[in-house]
Amino acid sequence: MNPLCLSSLIPVSHSLSFVTLRFLSPSFPTKFSFLRLTVRARTMASHIVGYPRMGPKRELKFALESFWDGKITAEELQKIASGLRASTWKEMAGAGIKYIPSNTFSYYDQVLDTTAMIGAVPPRYGWNGGEIGFDVYFSMARGNDTVPAMEMTKWFDTNYHYIVPELGPDMKFTYSFHKVVDEYKEAKALGVETVPVIIGPVSYLLLAKPAKGIDKSFPLLSLLDKILPVYKAVISELKAAGASWIQFDEPKIVMDLDAHQLQAFVQAYSHLESALLGLNVLIETYFADVPAEAYKTLTSLKAVTAFGFDLVRGTKTLDLIKCGFPSGKYLFAGVVDGRNIWANDLASSLNTLQALEGNVGKDKLVVSTSCSLLHTAVDLVNETKLDAQLKSWLAFAAQKIVEVNALAKALTGHRDEAFFSANATALASRKSSPRVTNEAVQKAAAALKGSDHHRATNVNTRLEAQQKKLNLPLLPTTTIGSFPQTMELRRVRREYKANKISEDDYVKAIKEEIRKVVELQEELDIDVLVHGEPERNDMVEYFGEQLSGFAFTINGWVQSYGSRCVKPPIIYGDVSRSKPMTVFWSTTAQTMTQRPMKGMLTGPVTILNWSFVRNDQPRFETCYQIALAIKDEVEDLEKAGITVIQIDEAALREGLPLRKSEQPFYLDWAVQSFRITNCGVKDTTQFQSISLDCRTLASFATLSNPVALLNFSLSSDS
């Protein structure tokens, strides 16, 4: 045997990290004829940043709400949660994922978990030390009978919300919530080795706010040295438990940070360096490109073994990697989109990965998701009403795990040709499908470029014409629009949808509800009335169901905050309106009163930002298409005699890019989209635009007397 011809001896299996070969060498005497050669075989290096925790059918949501209502015990809640965690870990292990995350599960929010971990409990909750239990934990998240909850705000530019830490100079930090280590041990007991995930110390402080009574200018990063001892204690316990990897999520590093803030990363990980000895350390970033200076700072950290980047939204980061990546470090390449539900272009992603191998090294490249899969739906298997073609274009969290592993296998030379072929066929089907492209819609949207989307006359002229028409007082009163949705209303809509009651009975029931709402507003002397929207299920879904290019799921739920989940529509094709959507109900309500009745519409930017949006064209083009559909509705409302129209843009800010340099372009097309909806109406038609965050909307929905809220009329040029 030729000792240089080893390829026939290397096994095809990729499950071993190395093989030992012994063979006869003719160049040595017989008694020294056995040589030992170790040949390292490549393992499938795959990683998931994080995973949805609600469960495929919102099991955690229902368990949490039952616990809060006193219907199940804490032990029963924990048992359900444990089952969800176990199934998630086993699913990833079964799919071949090498780096499986733990501690991405949360009973409410991962930032709140970190707050509990370091014992940063605001004094109003009466916590006196010790392990933080459900009573304090859920009081911080939801408030209780005596004190309010902590503030909740958007997690970067997603529809997820986190609980904002409240910190001050006198706060004492102690290790008070052992969930990170407990969940690692829990997975290990199941035979699954995991990578514990923790919000990094710098991002945690940058996500916080000064506590009540503390000056707003208080430098939160001054607390870094105070919280790091707790991080050290957690690291020490993880090492003792046998962990070999740890993941710190530092998403704040993609923002426009100054030199002082970047230096905090150096300070933090230098301080932790001795504690991290013996551990592989991954710093995970996501949602945007990492700025060049931040990239330089990040990749210079000595204590860090690996760096994770979002290569879906952070395409410019690829150039930084190609220009220089630290030798001997791992790159966790986020090529599978964690924020949308479209099937990955496997061939394209594989090309990207193969190109990166030359910069990073074959053994240092790990295939990953772009961010946590928390932001996508759980499992496409549960969608029994989507047609086969549309389903072939999609990938929920469970399917993205398979995609990650398929790419990792392909990198090792074990490409699943059938899987790749099916993927290519599905992508081609989507690209050529007539249900995706509508030439008339494309032409109409293209014609908008360079057009003037302003009203023809100035604000003062319009206000004068509107006052003559409407004869409103100086400060007119109105409500935002939707009245509380009662159990009876939901029952009526549900039965009508299931064909259990006739259309006549449904219309009669909705009309009666509108009449009650109108009479209440007149009794309270409201100036501009609303019909209460009893016919609507959701402010986006209601319109999407009546527009082309939209699809809807049964179990495509995504966590928004706590136990609240939303089911975003899927925009898969060109958007158009075939018939009026709201005119019947608005005009019906107008016949019940002499006062102005508002037409109530959801704006194009909100419909866009609260949907899973097609990724085969720029978002602004899809938004312009939606704007044209809403424009048609606006003009039909006006023709039907509706003289006040409200267009809600609750999610306008949600789509704002994280980097300041990218914000002007977004604001330009977002505002233009709103203007498109109403630029062609008469001067006498008045427009109102309402922009609220989700926390405000959620609070409003609980009010028993929503007419107590006022809103101000804005011109479309505001």
Side-chain angles (χ1 to χ4, degrees):
M1 180 186 295
N2 186 338
L4 299 179
C5 297
L6 305 178
S7 59
S8 62
L9 297 175
I10 298 175
V12 173
S13 172
H14 49 261
S15 61
L16 298 176
S17 60
F18 66 88
V19 293
T20 299
L21 306 178
R22 305 182 77 191
F23 58 92
L24 182 65
S25 171
S27 60
F28 287 91
T30 304
K31 63 179 180 179
F32 300 110
S33 63
F34 289 96
L35 298 179
R36 176 184 169 92
L37 174 65
T38 297
V39 180
R40 295 196 175 276
R42 295 188 62 194
T43 58
M44 293 184 295
S46 51
H47 167 250
I48 305 298
V49 177
Y51 200 79
R53 51 238 191 183
M54 280 293 119
K57 294 186 177 180
R58 296 183 293 165
E59 291 87 348
L60 182 61
K61 168 190 171 65
F62 300 122
L64 282 169
E65 291 171 357
S66 293
F67 173 70
W68 295 334
D69 290 342
K71 296 177 181 177
I72 65 172
T73 65
E75 290 73 20
E76 290 171 312
L77 172 60
Q78 289 167 333
K79 183 177 180 181
I80 293 169
S82 179
L84 289 172
R85 291 193 294 268
S87 64
T88 297
W89 292 324
K90 289 178 180 178
E91 179 181 0
M92 284 190 251
I97 300 300
K98 180 177 180 180
Y99 301 105
I100 298 171
S102 59
N103 197 48
T104 57
F105 174 89
S106 177
Y107 285 100
Y108 206 95
D109 165 53
Q110 69 270 19
V111 181
L112 178 63
D113 292 351
T114 309
T115 295
M117 182 186 82
I118 65 174
V121 181
R124 65 179 177 274
Y125 298 107
W127 176 65
N128 295 313
E131 186 75 8
I132 291 174
F134 279 159
D135 54 345
V136 173
Y137 181 86
F138 287 128
S139 290
M140 289 193 288
R142 308 176 68 240
N144 56 41
D145 292 340
T146 59
V147 293
M150 296 168 70
E151 180 189 344
M152 180 170 62
T153 195
K154 294 279 187 181
W155 177 247
F156 295 85
D157 59 346
T158 74
N159 192 33
Y160 179 75
H161 302 68
Y162 75 94
I163 302 297
V164 183
E166 302 172 12
L167 307 177
D170 298 325
M171 181 164 278
K172 307 297 182 185
F173 301 102
T174 58
Y175 186 14
S176 307
F177 195 57
H178 291 67
K179 177 175 170 292
V180 182
V181 179
D182 290 344
E183 288 191 12
Y184 171 77
K185 291 179 177 178
E186 184 181 332
K188 196 165 188 176
L190 295 170
V192 181
E193 182 62 30
T194 62
V195 179
V197 180
I198 310 174
I199 299 291
V202 182
S203 288
Y204 176 79
L205 291 176
L206 292 175
L207 289 164
K209 70 172 186 178
K212 187 176 181 180
I214 304 299
D215 191 280
K216 299 295 182 185
S217 63
F218 171 68
L220 292 162
L221 287 176
S222 66
L223 300 173
L224 189 57
D225 286 341
K226 293 184 177 182
I227 69 170
L228 289 178
V230 180
Y231 276 79
K232 282 186 172 182
V234 176
I235 292 166
S236 177
E237 280 199 4
L238 285 171
K239 287 168 69 173
S244 58
W245 279 84
I246 186 169
Q247 175 179 320
F248 292 107
D249 282 9
E250 292 281 13
K252 268 290 185 176
I253 204 165
V254 305
M255 306 290 284
D256 297 305
L257 303 182
D258 59 32
H260 172 69
Q261 292 168 324
L262 289 177
Q263 184 58 32
F265 288 94
V266 177
Q267 177 187 344
Y269 290 94
S270 296
H271 191 108
L272 293 174
E273 188 171 350
S274 60
L276 291 168
L277 282 174
L279 277 176
N280 291 297
V281 179
L282 164 64
I283 291 187
E284 187 66 52
T285 72
Y286 35 78
F287 298 153
D289 280 302
V290 177
E293 195 60 33
Y295 178 85
K296 181 179 177 181
T297 299
L298 182 63
T299 54
S300 68
L301 299 176
K302 294 179 181 179
V304 179
T305 314
F307 307 96
F309 298 112
D310 182 338
L311 300 182
V312 175
R313 293 195 169 214
T315 52
K316 293 178 183 177
T317 304
L318 277 170
D319 296 330
L320 295 174
I321 296 169
K322 291 173 182 177
C323 289
F325 189 79
S327 177
K329 304 286 188 177
Y330 288 83
L331 170 63
F332 282 59
V335 294
V336 173
D337 194 350
R339 290 192 51 177
N340 217 327
I341 42 68
W342 301 107
N344 185 272
D345 185 337
L346 295 177
S348 176
S349 292
L350 185 58
N351 287 338
T352 298
L353 292 165
Q354 288 171 336
L356 286 170
E357 282 186 322
N359 302 101
V360 178
K362 291 182 179 294
D363 296 328
K364 300 297 181 183
L365 184 61
V366 179
V367 184
S368 183
T369 55
S370 65
C371 63
S372 173
L373 299 177
L374 170 70
H375 310 288
T376 190
V378 180
D379 195 342
L380 195 56
V381 169
N382 296 314
E383 299 306 323
T384 56
K385 292 190 176 181
L386 290 177
D387 63 86
Q389 184 186 52
L390 183 55
K391 285 180 75 171
S392 75
W393 302 344
L394 305 177
F396 290 1
Q399 288 69 48
K400 290 178 186 293
I401 289 175
V402 177
E403 290 179 337
V404 167
N405 195 55
L407 287 167
K409 287 172 66 178
L411 273 181
T412 65
H414 297 84
R415 174 168 163 157
D416 186 332
E417 294 297 344
F419 189 72
F420 270 70
S421 177
N423 175 257
T425 299
L427 293 177
S429 163
R430 181 183 171 202
K431 189 174 183 179
S432 62
S433 174
R435 67 193 293 190
V436 171
T437 304
N438 182 319
E439 188 175 346
V441 173
Q442 292 277 349
K443 286 182 177 179
L448 292 170
K449 296 175 182 176
S451 301
D452 184 4
H453 305 134
H454 292 75
R455 301 280 287 273
T457 53
N458 63 39
V459 174
N460 289 334
T461 300
R462 295 200 302 275
L463 286 175
E464 184 178 345
Q466 290 162 17
Q467 186 57 25
K468 286 181 180 178
K469 177 80 173 179
L470 300 171
N471 193 29
L472 296 172
L474 181 62
L475 186 63
T477 55
T478 186
T479 76
I480 289 176
S482 57
F483 273 56
Q485 296 266 327
T486 64
M487 294 295 291
E488 177 63 17
L489 268 179
R490 292 192 177 99
R491 181 192 65 78
V492 167
R493 284 205 309 269
R494 187 168 58 248
E495 290 185 353
Y496 174 59
K497 199 169 184 178
N499 296 318
K500 292 182 178 180
I501 61 172
S502 68
E503 184 175 1
D504 287 344
D505 288 339
Y506 170 73
V507 170
K508 182 179 178 181
I510 298 298
K511 281 184 176 180
E512 181 58 30
E513 184 65 25
I514 292 173
R515 188 177 303 280
K516 292 177 184 177
V517 168
V518 170
E519 290 175 353
L520 174 60
Q521 291 172 93
E522 288 190 328
E523 181 183 336
L524 294 168
D525 200 24
I526 301 298
D527 298 303
V528 179
L529 308 191
V530 298
H531 77 287
E533 305 175 17
E535 79 285 6
R536 303 185 189 184
N537 47 7
D538 173 85
M539 65 183 293
V540 172
E541 187 174 4
Y542 176 78
F543 290 94
E545 286 175 336
Q546 302 180 77
L547 295 169
S548 68
F550 281 76
F552 297 87
T553 62
I554 301 171
N555 289 294
W557 297 99
V558 179
Q559 184 181 16
S560 180
Y561 63 86
S563 67
R564 176 170 170 74
C565 300
V566 294
K567 190 154 57 68
I570 299 170
I571 304 177
Y572 66 84
D574 290 334
V575 178
S576 63
R577 188 201 71 144
S578 61
K579 61 182 180 180
M581 301 180 286
T582 66
V583 174
F584 173 77
W585 296 115
S586 293
T587 53
T588 296
Q590 184 65 82
T591 63
M592 300 177 183
T593 181
Q594 296 298 311
R595 304 186 186 203
M597 176 63 63
K598 278 196 295 187
M600 306 297 301
L601 305 173
T602 301
V605 183
T606 295
I607 292 175
L608 183 89
N609 285 336
W610 283 352
S611 299
F612 286 125
V613 183
R614 58 189 294 189
N615 60 356
D616 58 344
Q617 68 179 17
R619 288 174 69 88
F620 70 84
E621 290 188 11
T622 302
C623 199
Y624 284 166
Q625 293 178 3
I626 302 170
L628 287 171
I630 300 299
K631 180 178 186 289
D632 290 344
E633 187 70 14
V634 164
E635 292 173 359
D636 279 347
L637 283 168
E638 185 184 61
K639 289 174 187 175
I642 300 300
T643 54
V644 181
I645 300 172
Q646 177 176 311
I647 303 178
D648 291 333
E649 286 291 19
L652 181 67
R653 184 174 175 80
E654 185 170 307
L656 192 68
L658 300 177
R659 303 286 292 283
K660 291 178 181 178
S661 62
E662 299 171 4
Q663 292 175 0
F665 177 66
Y666 167 79
L667 291 172
D668 179 63
W669 63 256
V671 171
Q672 290 292 353
S673 296
F674 177 80
R675 287 175 170 161
I676 288 166
T677 64
N678 58 78
C679 62
V681 298
K682 300 174 184 176
D683 287 352
T684 51
T685 300
Q686 184 178 99
F687 280 88
Q688 298 176 2
S689 176
I690 303 299
S691 181
L692 296 172
D693 63 30
C694 288
R695 183 67 177 268
T696 307
L697 286 173
S699 300
F700 171 75
T702 66
L703 293 176
S704 58
N705 185 16
V707 294
L709 290 178
L710 306 180
N711 73 313
F712 294 92
S713 176
L714 303 177
S715 79
S716 64
D717 292 303
S718 296

